[in-house]
């Protein structure tokens, strides 16, 4: 099943993970275990869809095992890392 993410979805995931907006594209931070995470979000508006390959790369950069894992984190607001 293909998963569609928007820029707003990726930004909300990054905020929930504790990543902070460093400059125009870079978001980074550390999690509870001390792991450093960093991703790049090209912000063209919150409703702009992200290509699947880009979403896969961002999922990898934020420590998710695949797109399904990242999607589950997005829709389940009570889920912890």
């Amino acid at each position: 099943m293909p998963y569609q993410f928007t820029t707003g979805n990726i930004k909300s995931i990054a905020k929930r993970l504790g990543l902070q907006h460093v400059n125009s594209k870079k978001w980074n931070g550390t999690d509870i275990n001390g792991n450093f995470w960093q991703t790049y979000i090209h912000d063209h508006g919150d409703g702009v869809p992200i290509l699947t390959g880009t979403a896969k790369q961002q999922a990898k950069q934020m420590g998710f095992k695949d797109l399904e894992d990242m999607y589950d984190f997005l829709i389940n607001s009570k889920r912890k890392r």
Side-chain angles (χ1 to χ4, degrees), residues 43-73:
D43 192 1
H44 298 291
D46 286 350
V48 177
I50 294 175
L51 297 173
T52 304
T54 304
K56 283 181 183 178
Q57 185 65 28
Q58 288 172 331
K60 181 179 172 185
Q61 290 171 346
M62 291 189 281
F64 295 103
K65 59 183 177 180
D66 56 15
L67 287 179
E68 183 177 1
D69 188 32
M70 187 165 76
Y71 183 76
D72 183 52
F73 183 80

Side-chain angles (χ1 to χ4, degrees), residues 2 4-6 8 14 18-19 23 28 33-34 38 52-56 62 64-65 67 74 80:
Q4 275 299 113
F5 294 94
T6 64
L19 301 183
N23 60 27
N28 65 24
N33 299 324
Q38 175 176 308
T52 304
T54 304
K56 283 181 183 178
M62 291 189 281
F64 295 103
K65 59 183 177 180
L67 287 179
L74 175 66
K80 302 291 182 193

Side-chain angles (χ1 to χ4, degrees), residues 10-22 25-32 35-41 58-59 61-64 70 73 81:
I10 300 297
K11 288 194 302 189
S12 69
I13 290 169
K15 288 177 185 175
R16 277 184 55 201
L17 291 174
L19 301 183
Q20 297 179 358
H21 200 185
V22 176
K25 297 175 191 165
K26 189 188 299 185
W27 291 65
N28 65 24
T30 57
D31 67 4
I32 234 172
N35 297 320
F36 179 76
W37 302 110
Q38 175 176 308
T39 190
Y40 294 91
I41 302 172
Q58 288 172 331
Q61 290 171 346
M62 291 189 281
F64 295 103
M70 187 165 76
F73 183 80
R81 165 71 57 198

